[in-house]
Amino acid sequence: MTDNKKFDVIIIGGSYAGLSSAMALGRALRNVLIIDSGLPCNRQTPHSHNFITQDGAKPSEIAEKAKTQVLKYDTVKFLNDLAVSGNKTENGFTITTKTGGTFETKKLVFATGVKDIMPDVKGFSECWGITVIHCPYCHGYEVKHEKTGILANGNFALHYAQLIRNWTKELTIFTNGKSTLTQEQTDKISKHNIPIIEKEIAEIKHENGNLRQIVFKDNSTFDLKAIYSRPNFEQHCKIPEMLGCELTEEGLLKVDMFQKATVANIFACGDSSSPMRSVSNAVSTGNIAGAVLNNGMTEEEF
Ligand SMILES: Cc1cc2nc3c(=O)[nH]c(=O)nc-3n(C[C@H](O)[C@H](O)[C@H](O)COP(=O)(O)OP(=O)(O)OC[C@H]3O[C@@H](n4cnc5c(N)ncnc54)[C@H](O)[C@@H]3O)c2cc1C
């Protein structure tokens, strides 16, 4: 790692967004420290899709390749650790880690992602990212035309129904309790022959994450190959909020079009600040944050 304790930029989160930001900053001759706790949100997914040049690769392989390329720049250092607190100082910030490290920096980038909160449905978390999927652009092609469920209610169930119907017509909505769809929404869904099942779910049966059937609390069952679901989430890292960064109504870090957060000298990129959750978006916003941050520093120094 590093004996150095002072950096131009500390990037918290060393997955796709953080590494992309580090690439731009390291190549701009900034002394960068990446602190990463090694828990990217897609770690259970066997294959990542929809990112050109890496389509179908393992998520960890994409990150490893990126890390190897980024760490070729001696301007960038990588620390496997958890950042636990941050404080503002006269010249920037200090960041403290779980193992007791304290580091100073002029600027901060949060590439910390979000934490998906698994619902209390037996089998859900084991299937998450394998056959319980959140995004048709990432995994829809692999389960096209298959018998597929939508585990959602209300506006979101309607949204998913109209979207996923593009990939399969074998669709059923599971509201897992009383439907909160309006009559108008229900009529629209019925027009496309998509059943709405309100029975409460006891369990998702699977083999190694490969979905077999839904078991309801009344012991009836429903065979399926895949389920779409979007669980709630929270910020993976609370330090931005400790430092006064504002969140959007959805719970994302508020940023402008240049990835600047609402506190001076703090940037955010990737899932922590964007509802468009994809590897390509994380790489893109990380790259923007790095370039804009460096540009600001050149202005300050000139
Ligand atoms: C199940 C699943 C499957 C997906 N499949 C695809 C797909 O096929 N194609 C696609 O394009 N996208 C896919 N996505 C979306 C994609 O994985 C994310 O958009 C992407 O990982 C976001 O990158 P990120 O760098 O912002 O965050 P993450 O990749 O989530 O990384 C955040 C990093 O920050 C670290 N971190 C957080 N807090 C701290 C802290 N306090 N200190 C130190 N480190 C910290 C974490 O450990 C982690 O390493 C999928 C997502 C999920 C959930």
Side-chain angles (χ1 to χ4, degrees), residues 4-302:
N4 188 9
K5 299 283 178 192
K6 286 189 181 181
F7 293 88
D8 293 326
V9 185
I10 291 182
I11 300 171
I12 305 183
S15 179
Y16 315 103
L19 288 166
S20 174
S21 197
M23 173 71 93
L25 287 160
R27 287 179 51 77
L29 312 182
R30 298 296 169 188
N31 286 315
V32 177
L33 174 65
I34 304 170
I35 304 174
D36 184 57
S37 57
L39 291 173
C41 65
N42 61 351
R43 58 191 178 277
Q44 194 165 284
T45 296
H47 303 284
S48 178
H49 289 281
N50 205 29
F51 178 31
I52 53 169
T53 76
Q54 304 298 324
D55 190 47
K58 276 189 194 165
S60 58
E61 279 172 10
I62 303 174
E64 270 311 310
K65 190 169 181 189
K67 189 174 163 186
T68 304
Q69 292 183 352
V70 167
L71 292 184
K72 277 195 187 140
Y73 296 94
D74 60 7
T75 42
V76 183
K77 302 285 177 277
F78 197 100
L79 174 66
N80 295 304
D81 205 342
L82 179 75
V84 288
S85 67
N87 288 298
K88 281 186 203 165
T89 61
E90 205 178 317
N91 301 317
F93 307 90
T94 56
I95 293 293
T96 311
T97 66
K98 193 176 173 193
T99 61
T102 300
F103 303 95
E104 291 176 33
T105 183
K106 295 174 190 159
K107 315 278 177 188
L108 275 175
V109 176
F110 287 97
T112 36
V114 292
K115 230 188 241 179
D116 296 297
I117 302 164
M118 296 293 104
D120 189 18
V121 174
K122 194 174 171 204
F124 186 102
S125 62
E126 291 85 348
C127 295
W128 177 236
I130 303 169
T131 49
V132 172
I133 54 191
H134 78 301
C135 165
Y137 298 100
C138 300
H139 305 290
Y141 189 89
E142 284 59 47
V143 289
K144 63 184 183 302
H145 312 314
E146 295 284 8
K147 227 176 151 190
T148 299
I150 291 171
L151 178 55
N153 210 342
N155 293 340
F156 209 72
L158 174 68
H159 167 71
Y160 255 158
Q162 64 194 27
L163 180 67
I164 307 307
R165 201 177 153 274
N166 179 64
W167 280 268
T168 180
K169 304 286 184 283
E170 300 269 324
L171 267 183
T172 305
I173 294 175
F174 301 93
T175 54
N176 193 19
K178 204 168 163 33
S179 167
T180 56
L181 288 151
T182 64
Q183 192 55 51
E184 199 187 332
Q185 289 173 325
T186 305
D187 293 345
K188 207 169 179 184
I189 289 168
S190 305
K191 222 172 63 187
H192 295 286
N193 299 319
I194 301 173
I196 300 170
I197 295 183
E198 298 183 58
K199 289 194 275 187
E200 285 186 41
I201 296 172
E203 182 179 356
I204 294 173
K205 287 239 189 238
H206 65 96
E207 274 167 41
N208 301 320
N210 294 302
L211 219 160
R212 297 292 178 247
Q213 61 179 194
I214 288 183
V215 182
F216 298 100
K217 287 194 178 160
D218 65 5
N219 286 327
S220 59
T221 58
F222 196 107
D223 290 355
L224 281 173
K225 289 279 187 196
I227 290 178
Y228 284 86
S229 179
R230 189 172 293 183
N232 293 331
F233 68 84
E234 61 183 9
Q235 285 291 319
H236 202 150
C237 172
K238 304 293 180 196
I239 299 174
E241 290 161 79
M242 287 179 201
L243 293 171
C245 293
E246 284 176 47
L247 297 181
T248 65
E249 265 178 34
E250 289 170 284
L252 296 167
L253 289 170
K254 209 186 254 186
V255 288
D256 67 9
M257 64 185 291
F258 299 114
Q259 304 303 133
K260 286 183 191 171
T262 56
V263 171
N265 301 316
I266 299 183
F267 287 66
C269 48
D271 281 10
S272 67
S273 56
S274 171
M276 304 299 289
R277 293 181 71 183
S278 70
V279 173
S280 55
N281 186 57
V283 169
S284 164
T285 54
N287 184 261
I288 292 169
V292 174
L293 202 166
N294 178 64
N295 191 52
M297 291 183 88
T298 59
E299 282 174 12
E300 287 165 14
E301 292 156 358
F302 197 70

